[in-house]
Amino acid sequence: MHRRSRRHPGLVAFAVLWLTAALARAQTTTGAIDGVVRDPDKNPVPGVLVVSNSPSLIQKDLTVSTGQDGYYRLPALPPGTYAVSFRLPGFQTIERTGLIVTTGQTTSVDVELRLATIEETVTVVGASPTIDPRSAKLAFTYTRSLLENVPAVRNFHTMLYTMPGVEPNASAVGKVSAGTANYDNVLGGGLFANWYKFDGANATDPRVGSNQTQLFSYDIIDEVQVLKGGKPAEVGFAYGGFFQIVTKSGGNDFHGVGAVYYQDDAIQSDNVNDRLRQAGVRLTDRLVDSYDASASMGGRFVRDKLWWFGSARRQEQTLQVFGLPDPQEDRIKAFFWKNTYQPRPRHTLTGMVNHWDESVNPYPFGSAALLGERQATMITTPGGEAVNGRWKGTLTDTVMVDAGVAYSKESFERVDQPDSGIAIFDLVTGRRFRNRGIFYSTIPSWNWHSNGSLSWFVPDAAGRHDFKFGAEYTHGVVPSTFEQIGDHQLTLSNGLPSQVWIYNTPVDQHLDLYLTSAFAQDAWTIRNRLTLNLGARYDRAVGRLQDAPAGGGRFANTSLADRYPVLKRQT
């Protein structure tokens, strides 16, 4: 009997906070531009009209004014390159171009306005600031420029390993075999210490802590930010790394790109020497060939109102894996679609769908070197999808909201080869024949996620304050099925018959994981010289494993089950 609780501690607090605080600029998916406008005598200039625009900004212009202290702030800016103009009657109009805004960063630009006897505009072209003086985060941001120019395999996780402090799972280093989950190790935090967000929504596998969006098309990435230390209160469950993946959007102008990549083993070598050949080693891990084709397009349905962006990718590669008798065939497909809609100024709705799937045959579940024949391998078909809807709005010049709901799934379906038989396992050599001989598992996992926050900027209260309040809730589900062909396994002792192991399958399990969080934080800037990043966070994690029915297999109704009741169907 399955029992499922409908009462979640902390959910009421979450709902109240979400409905009353509404929702706000998520600092991890957008950036900001701020600064102070002064005259030549260093006096602040209030009332200056500050206007920004960018191809990344769906609304034509974003306009704010400087306060009594000359301070201005352009919040909730999507990553991109911006131009900002400063206008006040009787003064020169200053235009700053080439200002780069990245995820989670504030680009500070101070401006000096001079009196003008005639109407004139001065355009200032200079290097965009790269340091955020108001943040204590230890972070690295992969911009679109880096993505296009860093020589790395067109794979999200491989790209991450070019970042300082980020490395792959030690057991995966140097491996060629496909079809396994990618794990990232950040500053030694471990494989399950990370948290992944995909356009602001949780995409962390509740089963093993991997990234549910694993093999999405490389072409959809706009930016990736990795927080490694000094994380703000809005980031939870990540004592290793926090990964924020921001995807591309359409634009007022149509744009598209297509690419085809091909690689073979012509420029590869190996380290097989005469001594290894005498020991029987003929092949090493290597890429035999790889074909990777992708196409991305974006544009508008309605100018300054409704954008679209889509991408598709197909990759086929043949891999030689040490220990496998035949080459491994790997097939990957990925699709992505996103709409951006601005029903009215300062309010934006986005919706996206992402899907990926892979097929790998043969797949060595465990050490390939211990497989005695092809039947002991498996066929694996991992895949996943993500659906995300968000609302971002600026209610006033000082209050911003952000809210979203999302669904994400990842599965690792594995089946035995069609001609597999009863498993044979040698206890001495460790070699396996006929099939893998371990409990084969079908384990999908999915998340239902919602989050919201409110940002409130207070320009003058013993300094400037950037308050943010928010909450999030995730319900993760992991159903599992464990099976064994024939419910038994034969064992050898150095090639001689030894034992028969008997199992009682199938075994079904169902795990529910409930995560509830709330936070409050403040970036308090005092006299433009000191910023204190203050915050508090509440996290609650509850896991519930339901009753697991087991058995009813081959031996359940035999005399053997009468002698060993564990073989009967049970819960």
Side-chain angles (χ1 to χ4, degrees):
M1 178 179 179
H2 286 188
R3 298 188 298 269
R4 184 171 298 181
S5 173
R6 298 295 184 185
R7 296 161 55 186
H8 311 303
L11 186 56
V12 174
F14 162 78
V16 171
L17 179 59
W18 195 7
L19 293 175
T20 58
L23 320 150
R25 174 179 72 89
Q27 294 179 351
T28 50
T29 58
T30 59
I33 299 176
D34 75 350
V36 179
V37 180
R38 298 182 176 89
D39 62 20
D41 295 326
K42 307 303 180 183
N43 298 313
V45 182
V48 178
L49 196 66
V50 183
V51 182
S52 68
N53 57 71
S54 168
S56 301
L57 199 62
I58 190 169
Q59 65 189 83
K60 187 175 182 180
D61 294 312
L62 179 60
T63 303
V64 298
S65 298
T66 58
Q68 291 300 315
D69 57 355
Y71 180 77
Y72 72 93
R73 186 168 178 269
L74 295 159
L77 301 177
T81 302
Y82 286 77
V84 181
S85 64
F86 302 84
R87 306 169 186 171
L88 183 66
F91 288 81
Q92 294 176 333
T93 295
I94 301 294
E95 290 188 353
R96 282 295 310 265
T97 61
L99 297 176
I100 298 174
V101 173
T102 60
T103 302
Q105 178 173 313
T106 298
T107 301
S108 294
V109 180
D110 295 336
V111 171
E112 182 180 290
L113 283 187
R114 296 178 178 272
L115 292 171
T117 56
I118 60 174
E119 185 175 339
E120 61 177 326
T121 299
V122 178
T123 301
V124 179
V125 180
S128 179
T130 57
I131 297 177
D132 185 353
R134 295 176 180 83
S135 174
K137 296 179 293 188
L138 176 60
F140 186 95
T141 300
Y142 237 106
T143 64
R144 192 181 305 181
S145 176
L146 283 174
L147 290 169
E148 294 172 351
N149 291 284
V150 171
V153 177
R154 289 169 51 81
N155 175 286
F156 168 69
H157 289 273
T158 303
M159 175 268 293
L160 294 179
Y161 305 148
T162 65
M163 293 184 182
V166 182
E167 56 187 14
N169 174 12
S171 64
V173 174
K175 281 193 174 181
V176 174
S177 179
T180 57
N182 292 281
Y183 299 99
D184 310 307
N185 194 337
V186 179
L187 298 181
L191 305 184
F192 310 110
N194 304 319
W195 202 250
Y196 299 87
K197 284 200 171 181
F198 193 74
D199 274 347
N202 179 21
T204 309
D205 191 306
R207 174 176 54 98
V208 293
S210 62
N211 169 25
Q212 289 182 317
T213 59
Q214 291 277 344
L215 296 178
F216 60 82
S217 175
Y218 195 78
D219 296 331
I220 73 174
I221 303 174
D222 194 2
E223 282 192 355
V224 178
Q225 185 190 56
V226 181
L227 297 185
K228 298 179 286 186
K231 304 178 186 74
E234 64 182 303
V235 174
F237 299 107
Y239 54 91
F242 174 76
F243 297 82
Q244 179 63 266
I245 305 163
V246 181
T247 63
K248 295 179 181 178
S249 301
N252 282 323
D253 299 321
F254 175 82
H255 54 88
V257 61
V260 176
Y261 300 85
Y262 176 77
Q263 182 180 355
D264 59 21
D265 62 352
I267 58 174
Q268 296 183 71
S269 62
D270 59 53
N271 62 347
V272 179
N273 52 30
D274 292 339
R275 182 178 179 183
L276 290 174
R277 292 187 185 94
Q278 291 174 3
V281 177
R282 296 290 181 266
L283 299 171
T284 59
D285 287 353
R286 65 191 297 112
L287 173 69
V288 178
D289 58 53
S290 174
Y291 170 83
D292 188 356
S294 62
S296 300
M297 293 179 288
R300 70 174 189 271
F301 289 126
V302 181
R303 179 178 291 274
D304 298 331
K305 184 73 69 172
L306 180 59
W307 290 355
W308 62 271
F309 176 81
S311 178
R313 177 194 184 194
R314 182 175 180 86
Q315 182 181 28
E316 298 183 1
Q317 56 183 354
T318 304
L319 307 170
Q320 179 64 58
V321 181
F322 178 72
L324 287 183
D326 302 313
Q328 185 181 74
E329 302 292 334
D330 181 24
R331 305 287 183 266
I332 298 172
K333 292 185 295 184
F335 305 95
F336 178 82
W337 184 267
K338 183 177 182 179
N339 284 124
T340 306
Y341 174 53
Q342 182 175 262
R344 56 184 182 181
R346 296 198 175 192
H347 291 273
T348 304
L349 300 173
T350 59
M352 71 85 181
V353 177
N354 181 69
H355 172 83
W356 66 273
D357 61 68
E358 184 179 20
S359 174
V360 182
N361 186 22
Y363 173 71
F365 190 68
S367 174
L370 296 178
L371 300 177
E373 55 189 348
R374 182 184 175 89
Q375 288 97 321
T377 65
M378 307 182 83
I379 302 171
T380 184
T381 54
E385 54 263 348
V387 181
N388 187 352
R390 302 202 69 79
W391 165 52
K392 294 182 181 182
T394 303
L395 303 184
T396 70
D397 286 345
T398 59
V399 178
M400 289 143 289
V401 296
D402 182 350
V405 293
Y407 164 80
S408 56
K409 180 181 179 180
E410 182 179 25
S411 62
F412 286 90
E413 185 81 15
R414 298 186 177 108
V415 298
D416 292 289
Q417 296 291 342
D419 53 352
S420 293
I422 303 302
I424 301 175
F425 173 48
D426 196 309
L427 299 171
V428 176
T429 65
R431 304 195 74 191
R432 296 184 180 272
F433 305 88
R434 299 297 182 265
N435 75 56
R436 272 300 302 159
I438 59 172
F439 281 177
Y440 147 66
S441 60
T442 300
I443 308 182
S445 59
W446 56 84
N447 284 325
W448 299 96
H449 177 75
S450 57
N451 65 340
S453 58
L454 178 144
S455 291
W456 177 31
F457 180 70
V458 180
D460 188 12
R464 292 192 295 268
H465 298 266
D466 192 356
F467 295 108
K468 187 174 183 181
F469 311 92
E472 59 183 312
Y473 175 74
T474 298
H475 177 193
V477 182
V478 184
S480 309
T481 300
F482 299 85
E483 295 179 294
Q484 172 74 26
I485 292 180
D487 278 342
H488 68 286
Q489 174 179 271
L490 309 177
T491 65
L492 307 175
S493 178
N494 203 20
L496 299 177
S498 176
Q499 300 172 347
V500 178
W501 294 0
I502 297 177
Y503 301 97
N504 190 21
T505 66
V507 178
D508 296 313
Q509 292 183 353
H510 187 103
L511 172 67
D512 289 281
L513 180 65
Y514 306 96
L515 305 176
T516 306
S517 303
F519 69 89
Q521 65 186 42
D522 177 26
W524 178 16
T525 301
I526 304 172
R527 295 186 178 181
N528 292 322
R529 291 181 174 272
L530 174 66
T531 297
L532 302 178
N533 291 280
L534 311 173
R537 182 179 179 90
Y538 165 82
D539 286 323
R540 178 179 174 85
V542 177
R544 293 191 175 96
L545 186 64
Q546 299 182 12
D547 293 340
R554 179 169 183 170
F555 303 101
N557 299 313
T558 66
S559 58
L560 194 62
D562 294 333
R563 184 177 180 182
Y564 301 101
V566 71
L567 295 177
K568 295 180 179 294
R569 182 166 177 81
Q570 54 188 287
T571 300

